[in-house]
């Protein structure tokens, strides 16, 4: 079983959406070199190319397009799930016990 971590998949989606390693790097707060290294590792483990890279552009391969179409909605769902859970921390919950004399 080939494993791809959430950070790698998040980086993959960011690069695919931006069509640029440097644009994705700015969004993710990492270097373009780190993203490139991460994608080379992912491509090596998958044994296929996800991006066609030139000095001027980055484009998804057919395999990259398939992966992007499957992973992007899932990452969106994960983000929504985390936002739903964390938004409830600002809502009071539990019991309140009052002690007062007449």
């Amino acid at each position: 079983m080939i494993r791809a971590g959430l950070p790698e998949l998040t980086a993959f989606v960011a690069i695919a959406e931006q069509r640029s390693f440097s644009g994705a790097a700015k969004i993710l707060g990492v270097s373009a070199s780190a993203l490139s290294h991460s994608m080379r590792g992912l491509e090596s483990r998958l044994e296929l190319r996800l991006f066609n890279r030139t000095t001027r552009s980055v484009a998804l391969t057919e395999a990259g397009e398939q992966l992007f179409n499957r992973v992007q909605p899932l990452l969106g769902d994960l983000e929504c799930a985390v936002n739903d859970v964390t938004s409830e921390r600002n809502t009071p919950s539990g019991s309140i016990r009052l002690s007062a004399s007449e």
Side-chain angles (χ1 to χ4, degrees), residues 20-90:
S20 162
F21 279 83
S22 59
K26 287 178 187 174
I27 290 171
L28 297 173
V30 297
S31 70
S33 175
L35 283 182
S36 180
H37 182 72
S38 177
M39 288 305 102
R40 277 194 305 269
L42 179 60
E43 288 175 330
S44 176
R45 282 195 312 283
L46 296 176
E47 297 179 354
L48 52 88
R49 290 182 61 93
L50 299 173
F51 296 102
N52 288 321
R53 302 165 179 89
T54 67
T55 56
R56 300 236 182 240
S57 69
V58 175
L60 288 169
T61 62
E62 187 176 328
E65 192 74 44
Q66 288 177 343
L67 184 61
F68 177 75
N69 290 335
R70 295 285 306 271
V71 170
Q72 187 207 25
L74 297 173
L75 288 178
D77 289 346
L78 282 173
E79 185 177 341
C80 287
V82 169
N83 288 339
D84 289 347
V85 170
T86 57
S87 70
E88 291 188 20
R89 72 175 172 210
N90 297 326

